[in-house]
Amino acid sequence: MVDSWEAKQSNYQRTLTVLARISSSVCESKSIPRESLRVILVCGSDLLESFGIPGVWIREQVRAICRDYGVVCIRREGKDIERNNIKVVDELVPNQISSTRVRECISRRLSIKYLTPDDVIEYVKQQSLYLDSTNK
């Protein structure tokens, strides 16, 4: 799901900022009581691996994401993940489709048909998402 607030931002938003925004907006809407709400980062093992790459993440933000929200990681085929406080879920049907690869395809102007639903493709086109400034 692409959060409409996040999609309207002109610059990249840090993951911790987006998680906090989603949590507060759901609570403000009063659709779910705060005590019943749990916002969790769901990611592929490629993103989880990037937590350990120097310069990619701010260490304190990684700690805050794990401590305050939690992480559910979908293990990609051939990836071994052992982390504390992170739930790992095996893929039922192995595939190599990831949000990172979808964004790379879009930035290279390659088709993402059959990788994501048509309404998502249309939304990405309408909002000109994931195109660098030279491709817009």
Side-chain angles (χ1 to χ4, degrees), residues 2-20:
V2 175
D3 177 63
S4 59
W5 172 85
E6 183 182 7
K8 291 176 187 171
Q9 303 306 302
S10 59
N11 296 323
Y12 165 80
Q13 298 298 305
R14 296 209 172 270
T15 302
L16 186 58
T17 303
V18 175
L19 292 170

Side-chain angles (χ1 to χ4, degrees), residues 6-80:
E6 183 182 7
K8 291 176 187 171
Q9 303 306 302
S10 59
N11 296 323
Y12 165 80
Q13 298 298 305
R14 296 209 172 270
T15 302
L16 186 58
T17 303
V18 175
L19 292 170
R21 165 74 173 95
I22 291 170
S23 181
S24 67
S25 67
V26 171
C27 288
E28 287 171 9
S29 72
K30 298 186 177 165
S31 57
I32 299 175
R34 183 174 296 277
E35 59 275 1
S36 299
L37 176 67
R38 177 126 192 245
V39 175
I40 300 173
L41 174 64
V42 177
C43 66
S45 55
D46 52 343
L47 184 122
L48 184 64
E49 285 179 344
S50 74
F51 279 8
I53 299 173
V56 174
W57 292 85
I58 298 169
R59 292 179 78 83
E60 185 49 43
Q61 289 196 1
V62 170
R63 287 185 193 102
I65 289 168
C66 293
R67 178 189 65 234
D68 301 340
Y69 297 97
V71 177
V72 173
C73 177
I74 310 299
R75 184 189 338 242
R76 302 275 185 222
E77 190 173 334
K79 301 285 184 178
D80 190 27

